[in-house]
Amino acid sequence: MSVEAPARPATPPPPPSGPSVGRRVGALLLRWWRRLTAMRTAIILLFLLALAAVPGSLLPQRSLSQNNVRQYFTDHPDLAPVLDDLYLFDVFSSPWFAAIYLLLFLSLIGCVLPRAAEHFRSLRTPPPPAPRNLLRLPDSGRLDTSLAPAAALDVVEEELRVRRFRVVRRETAGGPEVSAEKGYLKETGNLLFHLSLLALLLGLAGGKMWGYEGSILVTEGQGFCNSFQQYDTYSSGPLVDSGDLSSMCVDLDQFRAEYEEDLTASSFTADIRYGDPRGEERKTTIGVNEPLRIDGDRVYVTGHGFSPTFSVTLPDGTAFTDVATPFLPTDQRTLASEGALKLPDLGAGQDDQLALEGFFAPTGLLQGGVLSSVDPRPLAPQVAIIAYQGYLGLDSGLPQSVYSLDRSQIERGRLTEVGAANLRVGESLDLPDGTQVTFTGYKEFAALQYSHDPGQLWVLAAAVALLGGLLGLLLLRRERVFARAGSAPDGSGTVLTIASLARGGGESGPRFTELSDELQGALTAAAPRTAPSDPEVPPRD
């Protein structure tokens, strides 16, 4: 007798393997891209970009005015460093602003380009067939006519074409019908608005990549040429080379500032001469809101101040007359200013150089030996100076500001104080070695900014197109009209069922009523007229 071996349990099938790491990463990237390119995301990013630009309009920016930033640090010594760490004085070049800008750029590309392709296809696509039950649409109704169905639809088609509808006629199981559509410019305006916004971002980005700007303080009677080496501060795009700078020089002839009764500045104007160094010079006057514009280059007036002038007479009789240096305003209300005059080339040895550190008051008031200014207008100019002799450290290889002394040289004893005085115009300070320093007056300086932005025309064109697209989006309407002809129940004529769908441009009810009335009038005018029958004559007796 044979014994059957027990059946071996079936091996369970292996569990289905999950998606690979690459597929999961791809799915996550696809989901992220779909969220990024959604219209809602683009609107949120646009709002964030506008919100991020608010600090740039409320706080002074280094790219526009170094003096105002310096004044903010003076007025808010505790808060200013914190704001500076957050790039709030360089908002438009900060990493977080660039991140929002780049995300908005990608979102618009992924959102607008597919919609543009879809809109292009819709322009070549005929209007859709009429819905089965037209009376369910919000704006619908019936029109009676004695015309045949085909003739009635001929009248409707003609009237719709006069109103610039694109019309398609079809034969369906429910009867002959007409589908009409117009208002494609509304969607075109929508796409033009978003494409213009994309072009605007491209123009701004191009201006940052190929643009540059530099700031310099120019005293009356002096000038500068467009060179990075001459600017006090400058910034340039990553694709800008020093050889790309346009060849132009600017000289400041005269600066004028006018003030209101409350001593606030009402206008700044600067008379300048400009032109190519090898060409003809031209003269013009520029102001704060009236810059010099030449082939994409602009010269702005961003501020002003005073440059005290001194005459220095050495013991051997050598004189340096009317030497001017800009003093930077420390108080914008009174234009009280601080600065330094360095004279390293007096013919003496290296350790006998002269420097003046001072405080300039346009309208000076001396109280308790302390000089202050009470008015920004130069009504009574005075200067408080401290004279130093020794080694200035200009050839040490270490950078130092031209508007202040190197404090380390004073701390090391390389610079020694040799005199101090409060001077009016014409008064002098005599130093122990016989050198005489005379305060001879002042000149005004203008803070000029030279800017080159190759994307400004692109930005202007994009802004105009953006406005046009916005107007089309808001004022135009997208509208579809359907009409279906059928025989009247009593067989005496035709019943036209019409309906419309509208988007944008206000309420659609009055417009549909107007269209219905005009169609009814056209149908009545096209219907054949029936001549009245002769009255029956009674028989004669």
Side-chain angles (χ1 to χ4, degrees), residues 450-461:
Y450 192 104
S451 299
H452 174 74
D453 186 0
Q456 58 180 333
L457 293 180
W458 181 279
V459 171
L460 176 61

Side-chain angles (χ1 to χ4, degrees), residues 218 222-226 230 248-253 271-275 281 286 292 294 299 448 450:
V218 182
Q222 300 179 4
F224 72 99
C225 291
N226 187 23
Q230 294 199 20
M248 191 173 77
C249 295
V250 178
D251 295 316
L252 177 62
D253 291 335
D271 297 333
I272 63 172
R273 289 176 287 115
Y274 68 95
E281 273 192 340
I286 62 175
L292 171 66
I294 304 176
V299 179
L448 301 180
Y450 192 104

Side-chain angles (χ1 to χ4, degrees), residues 85-99:
D85 292 339
L86 298 175
Y87 298 93
L88 294 184
F89 299 115
D90 302 279
V91 169
F92 303 106
S93 59
S94 62
W96 48 269
F97 190 87

Side-chain angles (χ1 to χ4, degrees), residues 201-249:
L201 295 178
L202 278 173
L204 294 175
K208 290 295 183 181
M209 296 290 286
W210 284 278
Y212 60 86
E213 62 184 18
S215 299
I216 186 172
L217 303 183
V218 182
T219 302
E220 292 173 327
Q222 300 179 4
F224 72 99
C225 291
N226 187 23
S227 172
F228 287 150
Q229 289 77 14
Q230 294 199 20
Y231 291 122
D232 297 331
T233 59
Y234 73 89
S235 62
S236 62
L239 302 181
V240 176
D241 186 76
S242 59
D244 300 330
L245 273 64
S246 56
S247 177
M248 191 173 77
C249 295

